Amino acid sequence: MIPGNFKFKTTFWQDFTIADKFGYDAIEDTFKRAFAEWKDNPEYLTELVIVLNWKIGEHYDENNGDNTIANLYNRLWEEADAYAVENLKGEDKDYFYEMTD
């Protein structure tokens, strides 16, 4: 659950919402660019994981049972989440867990 006072510092939600309109490849490309650029920034990485999680929910069962896009977002979320869990340390990891709990 995101704390009520949480304010996004990125445009990830908007970026992925735009990519949604162009489909699977655009979503994957948006993820690759965002992840490559921001994976070493703990706050941005955390926001990326949060947005990917929200996008799973947004697309789940949205298209008459075709969960292709939700499954894509789930795979991307798993990749970003695993990277965060494996690579963040100390206060950065605490921040990640606090924001994604």
Side-chain angles (χ1 to χ4, degrees):
M1 177 177 190
I2 305 301
N5 62 355
F6 185 80
K7 302 269 190 269
F8 281 106
K9 298 175 183 171
T10 71
T11 60
F12 293 148
W13 180 261
Q14 295 90 334
D15 298 341
F16 283 103
T17 298
I18 292 167
D20 287 344
K21 296 185 185 318
F22 294 94
Y24 196 96
D25 291 340
I27 295 165
E28 240 181 356
D29 182 61
T30 299
F31 172 77
K32 287 177 185 175
R33 288 184 293 109
F35 186 72
E37 181 73 23
W38 299 112
K39 68 182 180 186
D40 296 323
N41 180 313
E43 290 179 345
Y44 285 19
L45 176 60
T46 299
E47 288 188 23
L48 180 59
V49 170
I50 291 168
V51 166
L52 294 170
N53 186 288
W54 286 358
K55 285 292 187 178
I56 295 166
E58 179 182 53
H59 289 280
Y60 184 76
D61 273 341
E62 184 178 81
N63 300 316
N64 298 321
D66 179 2
N67 290 317
T68 303
I69 298 298
N71 291 339
L72 170 61
Y73 274 115
N74 189 71
R75 180 175 58 79
L76 300 175
W77 171 82
E78 287 176 347
E79 182 179 338
D81 184 71
Y83 180 88
V85 169
E86 292 171 14
N87 291 283
L88 294 176
K89 307 287 184 229
E91 290 180 6
D92 294 337
K93 195 169 209 169
D94 292 343
Y95 173 82
F96 176 79
Y97 282 134
E98 179 182 336
M99 293 297 110
T100 59
D101 183 17

